[in-house]
Amino acid sequence: YRALVNPAFSEKRVRGLKPQMEKIIDELIAGLPDSGRVDFMSEFCVRLPVWVIADALGVPREDLPKFKHWSDQAVARFSGVTTPDEDVEIAKSIVEFQHYFAAKIDERRENPGGNAVDYSADFGGRERDHHRYACCRYGPPDPAPRCAR
């Protein structure tokens, strides 16, 4: 899975995302409440990596709540403290994620846009379909800010 999307997150490509990241930062700051009080963690720190990853994957803004939910579920599945009912919900969420990105990969084969989904769609024949499903197999990417390492 990571081998498929790693080219979209190479050092050179991430450096090239700086203007987009600055734009996202400006959007997030502009969206902060004017009340003078804000939960900076939830309103900015949590959203920033989710928005950056979503943009890199070509996820439209209107799908961000769904993408954030999938990311939260991906983290929850490794917590070791979920109930059997929560495990079922997590599995359903992963399947939703898989269907969403399988459709995105199919769309991007026809209309590439230079994001990580395009890298996954850029395979030929049967191998392409194998990679398509491998990309979607494990669920959403971890939104943890690893690029800071």
Side-chain angles (χ1 to χ4, degrees), residues 11-134:
E11 183 179 344
K12 179 181 177 184
R13 182 152 168 82
V14 169
R15 261 196 316 264
L17 293 174
K18 184 178 178 183
Q20 181 61 21
M21 288 185 209
E22 290 171 346
K23 181 180 172 193
I24 290 170
I25 290 168
D26 290 344
E27 284 181 59
L28 288 170
I29 290 172
L32 294 175
D34 292 331
S35 66
R37 297 185 61 86
V38 65
D39 180 349
F40 194 71
M41 285 299 293
S42 66
E43 296 295 323
F44 184 86
C45 296
V46 171
R47 290 181 179 185
L48 179 60
V50 172
W51 283 35
V52 170
I53 293 168
D55 274 11
L57 293 172
V59 175
R61 290 278 190 262
E62 62 268 15
D63 289 345
L64 281 174
K66 194 178 344 185
F67 186 75
K68 172 71 169 90
H69 172 73
W70 293 329
S71 295
D72 290 345
Q73 295 289 66
V75 171
R77 77 178 167 184
F78 296 112
S79 71
V81 295
T82 56
T83 66
D85 287 342
E86 290 169 330
D87 289 340
V88 169
E89 291 306 311
I90 290 169
K92 287 179 184 178
S93 179
I94 291 169
V95 170
E96 287 175 15
F97 169 87
Q98 292 168 337
H99 285 263
Y100 178 90
F101 276 99
K104 288 286 183 201
I105 289 169
D106 288 341
E107 288 173 23
R108 294 303 175 128
R109 285 180 184 161
E110 300 300 320
N111 301 304
N115 58 48
V117 173
D118 297 336
Y119 287 99
S120 300
D122 189 24
F123 293 96
R126 198 173 82 184
E127 181 183 354
R128 176 177 66 191
D129 289 330
H130 167 75
H131 287 289
R132 171 183 178 245
Y133 293 109

